[in-house]
Amino acid sequence: MDAIVKNFPASKEKQVRPSQQEAEEAVRVLLRWAGDDPAREGLLDTPKRVAAAYRELFGGYEQSPEDVLGRTFEEVSGYDDIVLVRDIPFFSHCEHHMLPIIGKAHVAYLPNGRVLGLSKIARVVEIFGRRLQTQENLTAQIANAIEETLKPRGVAIMIEAEHLCMEMRGVQKQGSHTMTTTFTGEFKANAAEQARFFTLARNR
């Protein structure tokens, strides 16, 4: 698939982040809107806990994939075959309902003289995952970050995920999975390389 990658460049007027107090008050408003009383004992500390949880869950906005991927290694002894990290677990939130997306990412590339530290690939998945997302955009963002930083001969990404916005509300279809893929370079041009990627990613 060819997805449109949204990089969200900084606006001319920098957006001011609300204070901790404002965030907590927003949670109290939602509690009242839901029909509960934020002043009751069990909910007294909920606004503070929710604000802290949101800072962690959406910590990807404060991290740069370029910084994570900045260091590469050239001592590869001539290795130029596929590098695949599969079954990378991630948690994200859909940008439409702010409900969880739970899934696994399979990330591969064909080196072009340089390789990445394997942990860097998992870190990039986490950085983009910890933002409000659609699965399509998440898939494209991971591929784009590796493509721009490493300049490999090709990148292949497959993401399989469950969307709680589809399971908890709306059609309420539990257990359904969504799969997205994107390919660049040799993976996009060569069907045999795509087939090899799928075989390796799914080989248990």
Side-chain angles (χ1 to χ4, degrees):
M1 60 163 282
D2 293 319
I4 297 173
V5 180
K6 297 181 288 185
N7 291 319
F8 303 109
S11 61
K12 293 180 180 178
E13 294 183 8
K14 188 175 180 180
Q15 185 173 335
V16 178
R17 172 174 285 188
S19 67
Q20 177 84 11
Q21 184 178 355
E22 289 174 310
E24 292 179 17
E25 184 55 35
V27 176
R28 292 187 187 93
V29 170
L30 285 174
L31 289 172
R32 291 197 301 270
W33 182 84
D36 215 320
D37 178 10
R40 71 177 175 86
E41 183 180 7
L43 294 178
L44 284 176
D45 291 329
T46 295
K48 184 183 298 183
R49 293 191 185 107
V50 171
Y54 267 41
R55 184 174 290 276
E56 180 179 355
L57 293 172
F58 299 114
Y61 288 114
E62 298 180 356
Q63 300 178 64
S64 166
E66 291 79 14
D67 291 343
V68 169
L69 294 173
R71 187 180 180 191
T72 60
F73 302 93
E74 295 184 5
E75 296 181 8
V76 295
S77 300
Y79 184 84
D80 63 356
D81 204 358
I82 190 171
V83 176
L84 167 66
V85 182
R86 71 181 188 191
D87 296 326
I88 302 170
F90 73 89
F91 300 92
S92 191
H93 286 76
C94 78
E95 64 182 36
H96 301 131
H97 304 96
M98 296 183 71
L99 289 173
I101 302 170
I102 303 169
K104 291 183 178 181
H106 315 280
V107 180
Y109 68 91
L110 292 167
N112 190 20
R114 297 183 298 162
V115 297
L116 290 166
L118 299 180
S119 65
K120 308 295 186 185
I121 296 174
R123 285 278 306 281
V124 167
V125 173
E126 179 163 322
I127 287 172
F128 286 120
R130 289 184 179 272
R131 301 178 182 185
L132 292 172
Q133 286 289 10
T134 66
Q135 186 172 327
E136 297 87 345
N137 200 50
L138 174 63
T139 307
Q141 286 178 332
I142 296 168
N144 188 59
I146 295 173
E147 179 77 25
E148 289 188 354
T149 304
L150 190 61
K151 307 296 184 189
R153 301 190 335 266
V155 177
I157 313 288
M158 178 169 68
I159 292 181
E160 302 172 273
E162 294 183 66
H163 293 245
L164 268 65
C165 60
M166 185 175 171
E167 298 188 5
M168 295 175 63
R169 55 160 301 282
V171 294
Q172 299 185 30
K173 296 300 179 185
Q174 291 78 24
S176 59
H177 289 74
T178 299
M179 185 178 80
T180 50
T181 62
T182 193
F183 304 98
T184 71
E186 292 183 21
F187 281 114
K188 186 171 184 176
N190 190 333
E193 288 290 4
Q194 289 186 27
R196 188 160 72 109
F197 166 70
F198 282 124
T199 298
L200 291 172
R202 290 171 168 165
N203 185 23
R204 299 292 188 266

